[in-house]
Amino acid sequence: MKIAIAAWDNRISTVFDAADELLIIDEETKGSTAKSKISLTDTTIIDKAALIRELGTDVLICGALPRPIEYMISAAGVQVLSFIRGPVDEVIEAFRNGGLADHVFVMPGCRRGMGRGQKGVC
């Protein structure tokens, strides 16, 4: 599974547009993880979305992003977990343990239902 995380200063970027790097986590086999960083400086939001698709990403974890961009990324077969906040390492751990729905990781004002079959309202 390949996970992309839109980051800024080692935290989930509050706004996808403002992310200055994309952290890529490639969990090839159980217990083996490869990490890499891609600079997003001077990159448009459309270019960021295209890059996520080109990298063969399975999951994108990010803060707020415009619905048309979310639809574009989702249409490419990428699961989008948006309106997430927090330090990158804590978010990765929560994702692995199924704990991203915890209020600590959901942006304020977002009444997201991340359970079975529920859609977020953010």
Side-chain angles (χ1 to χ4, degrees), residues 7-108:
W8 184 83
D9 197 24
N10 227 11
R11 296 185 63 80
I12 303 301
S13 181
T14 305
V15 180
F16 180 73
D17 310 33
D20 66 353
E21 69 182 12
L22 197 60
L23 176 62
I24 304 297
I25 301 168
D26 196 352
E27 298 187 338
E28 301 159 6
T29 58
K30 190 174 183 177
S32 175
T33 301
K35 293 182 183 179
S36 60
K37 292 182 181 180
I38 299 172
S39 176
L40 298 177
T41 308
D42 299 325
T43 306
T44 69
I45 191 169
I46 299 296
D47 291 339
K48 291 174 187 176
L51 177 61
I52 289 164
R53 184 186 69 239
E54 290 167 12
L55 291 170
T57 304
D58 298 301
V59 177
L60 168 65
I61 300 174
C62 61
L65 78 159
R67 284 211 195 273
I69 299 299
E70 182 174 358
Y71 294 150
M72 178 189 312
I73 295 169
S74 293
V78 178
Q79 178 185 9
V80 178
L81 301 177
S82 57
F83 295 93
I84 301 297
R85 67 176 179 169
V88 168
D89 290 338
E90 291 178 25
V91 168
I92 292 168
E93 190 64 28
F95 173 76
R96 288 179 176 149
N97 296 324
L100 271 186
D102 187 310
H103 74 280
V104 172
F105 300 108
V106 179
M107 294 178 73

